[in-house]
Structures are given as structure tokens and as C-alpha cells.
């Protein structure tokens, strides 16, 4: 083999080794677990607000039910090709009383006029009974979309409003979404 041919083949081999390939990272499910105080606040201002923030959550210490609103940031990377809108939202509650109580929550997605293209707009209401001295949760997922089941909540804008009865504590928010894991395949 001539030296010119050898050099040409060596150049091709080295060039191939350094050529960038489209090796996307694997998509995996990510989870965020946070105290409800980080995401939720009372609708009611001033002295009539009976929500007390605790180290473990937000408790209704009043005699009447009170509404709280919880909203979440969506993570996204427009370059990785995955839909990183939330897949699941779990709202956890603790009953700080000696009688069962019922908590009602409404998931809201999107804005009233979706002229910005954030996704599907809808609401879904669920309730859960929480036994005395126990914890229970409400889960929302893309299966709740009345416009058709989706692998995600089908919108980047997601919030939950809950009506907390006396002695109910919103303790925990768990969020799940899919995104690339940063490890090339």
C-alpha cells in the first residue's frame, strides 16, 4: 500500500472516531417530592385565614373548610425532544382529628384562552376520605383528561385547588415527569 493511501485511510478512521453522532440520552421518569408549604397557599387573606404552615405541611386550624391553591413549575428542555409536562400529581393529606374527614381537590390545566399553545385545558375534581390519625392521597394523571387519555397532564400549566376541612393537613406534593436522563445511548 502506498503511503498516500495509508494516510487517507488513517484520516478517514480518525475522522470517523471524532464525528458527532446523534446519540440521544435515554428517557426516564423523574420525581419531585416536596412539602405542601412550598407549593400551596390559602385563598383567604388576613385574619380569616385559618391555614397554619407547619414543618410537615399546611393545616386548617379553623372551624370551617378553607381552600388552598397549589401550583407547580413544569420543567422542559426544548432540545431533547421529550414532552416534559407533568405525568402525575399526588396530593397527600393527614387527618389531625379523631373523626374521618373528606378532602376535595380540583386539578386545573392551562389557561382559559390557550392562544399560546400550552396544551389541553380541562378540570377534574376528586375526593378522598382520610381516617383519623392517618394519611391518604389524591392522584391526578393524564388518564383523567376528559378530552382523551394522555401520557401526561397535557399542559405545561398545572395547578390543584383543595378544600381542606378542619384538622386536615396538606402534607406532601409528589410530581412525576419524563425527561432525558443525560446518559447517551
Amino acid at each position: 500500500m502506498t503511503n498516500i493511501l495509508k494516510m487517507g485511510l488513517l484520516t478517514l478512521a480518525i475522522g470517523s472516531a471524532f464525528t458527532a453522532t446523534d446519540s440521544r440520552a435515554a428517557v426516564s421518569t423523574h420525581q419531585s417530592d416536596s412539602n405542601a408549604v412550598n407549593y400551596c397557599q390559602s385563598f383567604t387573606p388576613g385574619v380569616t385565614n385559618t391555614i397554619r404552615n407547619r414543618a410537615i405541611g399546611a393545616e386548617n386550624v379553623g372551624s370551617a373548610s378553607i381552600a388552598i391553591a397549589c401550583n407547580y413549575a413544569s420543567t422542559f428542555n426544548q432540545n431533547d425532544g421529550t414532552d416534559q409536562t407533568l405525568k402525575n400529581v399526588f396530593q397527600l393529606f393527614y387527618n389531625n382529628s379523631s373523626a374521618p374527614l373528606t378532602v376535595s381537590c380540583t386539578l386545573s390545566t392551562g389557561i382559559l384562552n390557550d392562544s399560546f399553545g400550552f396544551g389541553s385545558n380541562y378540570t377534574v375534581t376528586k375526593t378522598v376520605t382520610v381516617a383519623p390519625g392517618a394519611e391518604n392521597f389524591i392522584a391526578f394523571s393524564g388518564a383523567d383528561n376528559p378530552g382523551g387519555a394522555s401520557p401526561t397532564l397535557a399542559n405545561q400549566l398545572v395547578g390543584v385547588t383543595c378544600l381542606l376541612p378542619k384538622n386536615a393537613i396538606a402534607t406532601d406534593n409528589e410530581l412525576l415527569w419524563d425527561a432525558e436522563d443525560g446518559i447517551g445511548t
Side-chain angles (χ1 to χ4, degrees), residues 131-168:
E135 192 170 53
N136 206 342
F137 65 93
I138 293 175
F140 295 101
S141 73
D144 298 321
N145 187 341
S150 168
T152 68
L153 294 173
N155 202 295
Q156 293 176 11
L157 303 174
V158 176
V160 175
T161 303
C162 298
L163 191 59
L164 292 181
K166 177 182 179 176
N167 297 319

Side-chain angles (χ1 to χ4, degrees), residues 9 20 38 47 69 76 86 89 92 102 104 123 153 155-156 159 163:
L9 291 174
N38 292 334
V47 296
F76 61 93
L86 292 173
V89 172
L92 284 79
T102 300
S104 175
T123 61
L153 294 173
N155 202 295
Q156 293 176 11
L163 191 59

Side-chain angles (χ1 to χ4, degrees), residues 43-61:
F43 275 13
T44 309
V47 296
T48 58
N49 180 352
T50 58
I51 295 294
R52 297 297 175 259
N53 290 333
R54 309 280 190 224
I56 59 161
E59 180 177 8
N60 180 4
V61 297

Side-chain angles (χ1 to χ4, degrees), residues 3 21 42 75 116:
N3 284 341
T21 61
S42 172
T75 63
F116 297 107

Side-chain angles (χ1 to χ4, degrees), residues 46-183:
V47 296
T48 58
N49 180 352
T50 58
I51 295 294
R52 297 297 175 259
N53 290 333
R54 309 280 190 224
I56 59 161
E59 180 177 8
N60 180 4
V61 297
S63 58
S65 294
I66 191 166
I68 60 170
C70 308
N71 55 58
Y72 318 103
S74 289
T75 63
F76 61 93
N77 177 351
Q78 295 175 346
N79 296 326
D80 75 0
T82 60
D83 183 355
Q84 295 179 355
T85 58
L86 292 173
K87 289 174 47 169
N88 300 87
V89 172
F90 298 91
Q91 293 289 145
L92 284 79
F93 304 97
Y94 179 79
N95 182 345
N96 200 22
S97 75
S98 58
L101 55 82
T102 300
V103 178
S104 175
C105 294
T106 300
L107 169 81
S108 298
T109 68
I111 52 181
L112 295 177
N113 177 4
D114 187 26
S115 59
F116 297 107
F118 288 114
S120 178
N121 303 315
Y122 61 92
T123 61
V124 175
T125 300
K126 294 185 177 186
T127 60
V128 66
T129 299
V130 187
E135 192 170 53
N136 206 342
F137 65 93
I138 293 175
F140 295 101
S141 73
D144 298 321
N145 187 341
S150 168
T152 68
L153 294 173
N155 202 295
Q156 293 176 11
L157 303 174
V158 176
V160 175
T161 303
C162 298
L163 191 59
L164 292 181
K166 177 182 179 176
N167 297 319
I169 303 174
T171 61
D172 191 16
N173 303 95
E174 294 180 15
L175 312 172
L176 277 76
W177 66 96
D178 284 344
E180 287 187 352
D181 63 8
I183 302 169

